[in-house]
Amino acid sequence: MEDIIALLKENVIQGRKTKDDEGVDGDSIGMPGVIELTQLALESNIPPEVIIEEGLTTGMQVVGDKFAAKEYFVPDMLASAEAVSGAQDILKPYLEDSDAMSKGKFAIATVKGDIHDIGKNIVATLLKGAGYEVDDLGINIPPEKIVEYVREYKPDFLGLSALLTTTMLAMGETIEALKENGIRDSVKVLIGGAAVSEEFAQQIGADAYCVDGFHAIKVLEEFQKVKA
Amino acid sequence: MVNMEKELMYNDEVKGVPEFSLAGSIQEGIKIEIDKAEVYRHLGYGREQDPRAGILSIVDDQVCKAYEFINPAAYYTINPITSVGSPEVSVGELHFTSHNLAQVFSGCSQAAIFVVTIGKALEMEVDQLTKEGSILSALVLDTVGSVAVEKVADELESMFRDFAAAKGGKISWRYSPGYCDWDIAQQKELFRGLDGNPIGVNLTDACSMKPRKSISGIIGGGEFCSVFSACRSCNRKNCPNRREEFLAND
């Protein structure tokens, strides 16, 4: 059992989703990847919670460390996160209480007027890989739609993305709209994107500014600690 | 590049100063090659650090695929620079506000206002990959698109450079709204100078371009042109667009 979990962790680090992926050195083709190993672990009666915590999550932590050390870059990190995401989809039906395994519900959107998609998708994929239940609302999402969503689906966290100086103002409008509707305190608001900064986050009353997806994970962990 | 030179004509009345024709020109059939090393760099990898095997093969696949989806086109108009104050700069009937643009135009008498694009097919494929959950492939193809459109702008710039050189002149840096102190909202003014460009690039209310993989901007030309770079005096040391020669001293 330990072998399967160790292999699983190693393949998460290598970003090998399936047996067809090349991994770091390119000599692993044909060896089982994260998807095959997850299935094998289930067949070997390893509890899904153990597969997630000891295989997937610890693997992603190493990926995060490598990213921080500039040994890994965004594509490497995405390869790992996509592999983990695939494994989670397999495991979900086997979890007795899938909500208990989720670290919280994270809604993410690119704000009104902004059509940039990629950065938001990277963060969404990474957060999903880190164990959050992620709802991607899309691009060019007006404040009223976000208010409607928060009211109905009650996410724990809301991530707002904007790339331009012309569109970042819509982040402030979104936070104001949450306030006006009396639901600002129901959700932690995190912002990110090329044009925004820590100062801007404070100015518009966001709860945090995140430089990138891994920073967002750290910020979320801090929130969890405070909550606990 | 096809037939670009013949579209450009000098006005020989002013000796020594290259004068472009005032007519706008469409350039189609531009051929570009994607430099994979440039794709790695845009993905965050360093100059001496190629991606590992698993990522290299994704880049190879997406570069190969990208050629099907890239349809380069360029459009430009040539305008006299009528006044350079700082920060007010007038180009023909257009008025811009940027200290840096004023510096860029020091020594220039004319300006090419341009827009280039690779069209919308590539980003439709990026959206499709995203829908399928292939975020990594989507990111790589999107990055290939960014490198491709830069390359189209480089081709146009190089054409202007050759053209100016033939008359003993020079060109300035390429500069775009949204760079440094030039407000991206001035895209609207810039687009006014593109005669409702016939290559189909449109501005959103927030001044993004559609197709996304497009570059608009301005290049000065004249007897001499400054080699001013805004990075020299800029304090944003972590700016992703910081020119390489200014990184070493940080």
Side-chain angles (χ1 to χ4, degrees):
Chain A
M1 156 181 160
E2 274 176 24
D3 285 354
I4 298 175
I5 293 296
L7 269 177
L8 188 57
K9 180 182 164 188
E10 181 52 32
N11 277 277
V12 168
I13 296 168
Q14 295 235 356
R16 291 189 65 243
K17 187 173 180 177
T18 71
K19 62 179 170 40
D20 301 323
D21 287 337
E22 292 177 62
V24 172
D25 304 321
D27 54 6
S28 317
I29 297 178
M31 308 286 282
V34 170
I35 296 291
E36 292 87 3
L37 287 164
T38 300
Q39 277 154 349
L40 192 62
L42 282 173
E43 286 161 19
S44 310
N45 295 317
I46 300 174
E49 289 79 4
V50 173
I51 300 175
I52 290 176
E53 278 169 19
E54 293 177 24
L56 307 180
T57 307
T58 54
M60 275 314 279
Q61 276 162 356
V62 176
V63 171
D65 293 343
K66 284 179 180 285
F67 186 74
K70 293 200 161 69
E71 188 185 330
Y72 270 19
F73 295 90
V74 171
D76 308 292
M77 172 272 270
L78 270 181
S80 297
E82 277 186 23
V84 168
S85 177
Q88 284 167 335
D89 290 343
I90 295 173
L91 293 169
K92 208 168 181 184
Y94 295 91
L95 290 165
E96 280 181 22
D97 181 1
S98 63
D99 284 348
M101 286 308 290
S102 166
K103 291 182 182 167
K105 188 183 235 182
F106 193 104
I108 191 164
T110 302
V111 295
K112 186 179 75 177
D114 204 311
I115 53 174
H116 291 91
D117 202 16
I118 294 274
K120 165 184 68 64
N121 295 340
I122 292 171
V123 174
T125 307
L126 192 54
L127 290 176
K128 200 178 168 205
Y132 290 87
E133 185 193 340
V134 179
D135 237 347
D136 185 349
L137 309 190
I139 55 173
N140 190 16
I141 307 295
E144 57 273 20
K145 285 265 179 212
I146 294 178
V147 165
E148 212 173 281
Y149 175 89
V150 170
R151 189 176 277 145
E152 193 170 343
Y153 296 99
K154 302 182 175 50
D156 304 288
F157 310 102
L158 172 66
L160 300 177
S161 166
L163 197 78
L164 304 175
T165 49
T166 40
T167 54
M168 66 185 204
L169 303 175
M171 291 177 159
E173 290 168 26
T174 304
I175 292 177
E176 281 309 309
L178 291 171
K179 276 186 197 162
E180 281 163 21
N181 286 275
I183 48 176
R184 171 65 187 90
D185 296 333
S186 72
V187 64
K188 291 276 188 199
V189 181
L190 295 79
I191 67 166
V196 300
S197 63
E198 183 73 54
E199 295 74 46
F200 182 71
Q202 284 173 10
Q203 199 183 315
I204 62 169
D207 295 292
Y209 159 69
C210 305
V211 180
D212 56 37
F214 276 112
H215 185 209
I217 291 175
K218 287 214 174 77
V219 166
L220 290 170
E221 279 166 4
E222 289 300 316
F223 285 148
Q224 308 275 24
K225 275 185 207 158
V226 173
K227 212 164 110 187
Chain B
M1 219 156 357
V2 180
N3 291 336
M4 276 205 169
E5 302 251 337
K6 77 170 186 195
E7 302 278 353
L8 288 158
M9 285 157 37
Y10 289 111
N11 175 347
D12 280 328
E13 283 170 18
V14 187
K15 283 220 160 143
V17 180
E19 297 272 335
F20 304 120
S21 96
L22 292 176
S25 287
I26 305 177
Q27 306 294 340
E28 282 170 328
I30 302 166
K31 295 272 182 268
I32 54 158
E33 264 189 58
I34 312 285
D35 179 357
K36 285 181 192 166
E38 198 59 18
V39 176
Y40 306 151
R41 203 176 66 78
H42 276 247
L43 286 168
Y45 297 91
R47 288 241 173 251
E48 306 297 321
Q49 187 180 25
D50 282 355
R52 58 204 172 87
I55 305 295
L56 283 178
S57 59
I58 294 174
V59 173
D60 286 349
D61 290 350
Q62 297 304 325
V63 166
C64 194
K65 187 170 166 185
Y67 285 109
E68 285 172 47
F69 296 112
I70 292 173
N71 303 301
Y75 182 76
Y76 62 87
T77 59
I78 304 296
N79 310 266
I81 296 174
T82 41
S83 78
V84 181
S86 190
E88 307 297 332
V89 175
S90 298
V91 177
E93 301 295 310
L94 310 173
H95 303 288
F96 301 115
T97 308
S98 158
H99 289 285
N100 285 340
L101 183 64
Q103 293 254 31
V104 165
F105 276 175
S106 138
C108 298
S109 53
Q110 288 199 306
I113 292 178
F114 69 88
V115 61
V116 302
T117 187
I118 57 164
K120 62 183 178 186
L122 182 134
E123 61 201 46
M124 287 166 72
E125 178 63 14
V126 169
D127 291 347
Q128 183 57 34
L129 287 168
T130 304
K131 261 189 211 141
E132 291 165 8
S134 302
I135 306 299
L136 174 53
S137 296
L139 168 71
V140 172
L141 185 60
D142 187 84
T143 305
V144 173
S146 299
V147 170
V149 72
E150 280 286 340
K151 189 81 185 164
V152 179
D154 289 348
E155 290 284 330
L156 192 69
E157 182 179 334
S158 149
M159 183 195 77
F160 289 136
R161 183 177 297 107
D162 291 349
F163 176 64
K167 279 286 177 180
K170 288 183 174 169
I171 59 166
S172 72
W173 289 108
R174 195 163 89 208
Y175 220 64
S176 302
Y179 280 15
C180 311
D181 75 335
W182 194 7
D183 189 347
I184 195 172
Q186 293 213 319
Q187 279 271 56
K188 288 182 181 146
E189 185 72 355
L190 190 96
F191 267 64
R192 225 162 52 79
L194 287 167
D195 315 333
N197 75 87
I199 61 168
V201 179
N202 296 306
L203 278 186
T204 68
D205 289 344
C207 295
S208 285
M209 286 177 281
K210 274 188 170 178
R212 291 195 293 266
K213 297 303 174 196
S214 304
I215 296 176
S216 61
I218 198 160
I219 298 176
E223 197 170 3
F224 71 94
C225 281
S226 92
V227 288
F228 166 80
S229 174
C231 299
R232 193 184 298 280
S233 54
C234 181
N235 290 324
R236 288 192 68 202
K237 307 284 185 206
N238 295 324
C239 173
N241 298 317
R242 197 166 177 83
R243 286 180 191 268
E244 201 174 2
E245 58 266 40
F246 297 102
L247 290 174
N249 301 326
D250 296 343

